[in-house]
Amino acid sequence: MFTGSLDPVSNQEDWQFSYLVWDSEADEFIDISGCTITITVRDQETKASVLTGSTTGGQITLPEDGVFQVLFPESDMNGVCPKTYNVGIRIANDDRTVQFFIGTVPVLDGVDQQ
């Protein structure tokens, strides 16, 4: 499991990032093609989810072997108030579920063009 803080993101832009899933002992990508990957972005105080996504919902894609990419469009980000949120990412297959990442993401108040 990884822990830490993701890079800050504006609530006036697409939020996109990728992770490489690598087995350092075997020196190869981990096959995640049959896995369900989920992300939850949750308010630290109320514990309410403000963003959720998954491979089944289309917010998470698998562009290459061993890589997953998360994309929340600007339209989803516009509804997120500026502050720091908790983030969790899980990877599951038929046999096992792992907590891949637990951390935070600062959401900044972007400048609207209106």
Side-chain angles (χ1 to χ4, degrees), residues 9 15 22 26 28 32 35-36 41 44 73 105:
V9 62
W15 181 27
W22 183 260
E28 63 186 13
I32 56 173
C35 295
T36 300
V41 179
Q44 291 183 327
V105 63

Side-chain angles (χ1 to χ4, degrees), residues 2-102:
F2 297 98
T3 60
S5 181
L6 299 175
D7 290 337
V9 62
S10 165
N11 61 5
Q12 296 295 316
E13 67 178 345
D14 296 336
W15 181 27
Q16 182 174 337
F17 63 93
S18 299
Y19 269 110
L20 172 69
V21 185
W22 183 260
D23 183 336
S24 57
E25 290 180 17
D27 198 30
E28 63 186 13
F29 293 108
I30 296 174
D31 181 9
I32 56 173
S33 60
C35 295
T36 300
I37 304 172
T38 58
I39 182 171
T40 302
V41 179
R42 190 170 69 181
D43 187 291
Q44 291 183 327
E45 297 168 14
T46 67
K47 307 299 185 207
S49 296
V50 296
L51 293 170
T52 59
S54 68
T55 47
T56 56
Q59 299 85 357
I60 301 175
T61 58
L62 307 174
E64 330 177 6
D65 290 344
V67 175
F68 68 89
Q69 183 174 52
V70 178
L71 172 63
F72 288 104
E74 176 193 9
S75 58
D76 289 345
M77 295 303 296
N78 289 160
V80 180
C81 294
K83 60 181 171 179
T84 299
Y85 293 90
N86 291 333
V87 179
I89 300 172
R90 296 185 329 154
I91 301 176
N93 63 20
D94 293 335
D95 301 328
R96 186 171 170 208
T97 299
V98 296
Q99 184 78 58
F100 182 78
F101 176 82
I102 297 173

